[in-house]
Amino acid sequence: MANPKRRHSKQRKRLRRTHYKLKGVNMSICPQCKSMKLPHRVCPQCGYYKGRQVVEIKVKKKEKKK
Ligand SMILES: [Zn+2]
């Protein structure tokens, strides 16, 4: 089995890992209200999923701290 002769330095390890980064979240457009939403999830703006309303959206009446 291949065995490393020397331990990689911190710099080498960190240089290799410079390519590891997080990708942005995938977003899809809600067919109901055209806002951005996560795919396969109920739209947080209008509460629609699969062409019908699934969740009721509460309109904020009391707004504190402004
Ligand atoms: Zn929507």
Side-chain angles (χ1 to χ4, degrees):
M1 280 252 273
N3 208 26
K5 196 168 189 178
R6 288 204 184 279
R7 162 203 160 103
H8 280 189
S9 67
K10 285 173 186 174
Q11 186 188 20
R12 236 187 116 157
K13 175 184 74 182
R14 286 166 187 172
L15 276 172
R16 171 169 28 99
R17 292 181 184 175
T18 54
H19 304 288
Y20 298 0
K21 28 186 120 87
L22 292 171
K23 280 194 175 179
V25 194
N26 286 323
M27 294 297 264
S28 63
I29 298 160
C30 171
Q32 190 68 26
C33 64
K34 317 290 181 207
S35 68
M36 299 299 273
K37 68 171 194 67
L38 291 167
H40 311 289
R41 273 160 188 79
V42 174
C43 173
Q45 304 300 318
C46 60
Y48 269 68
Y49 191 76
K50 245 184 166 182
R52 65 190 181 90
Q53 190 156 27
V54 193
V55 182
E56 269 198 34
I57 302 301
K58 286 172 190 170
V59 182
K60 282 178 187 173
K61 287 174 185 174
K62 291 172 188 173
E63 285 198 9
K64 292 169 187 174
K65 287 174 190 175
K66 255 200 171 178

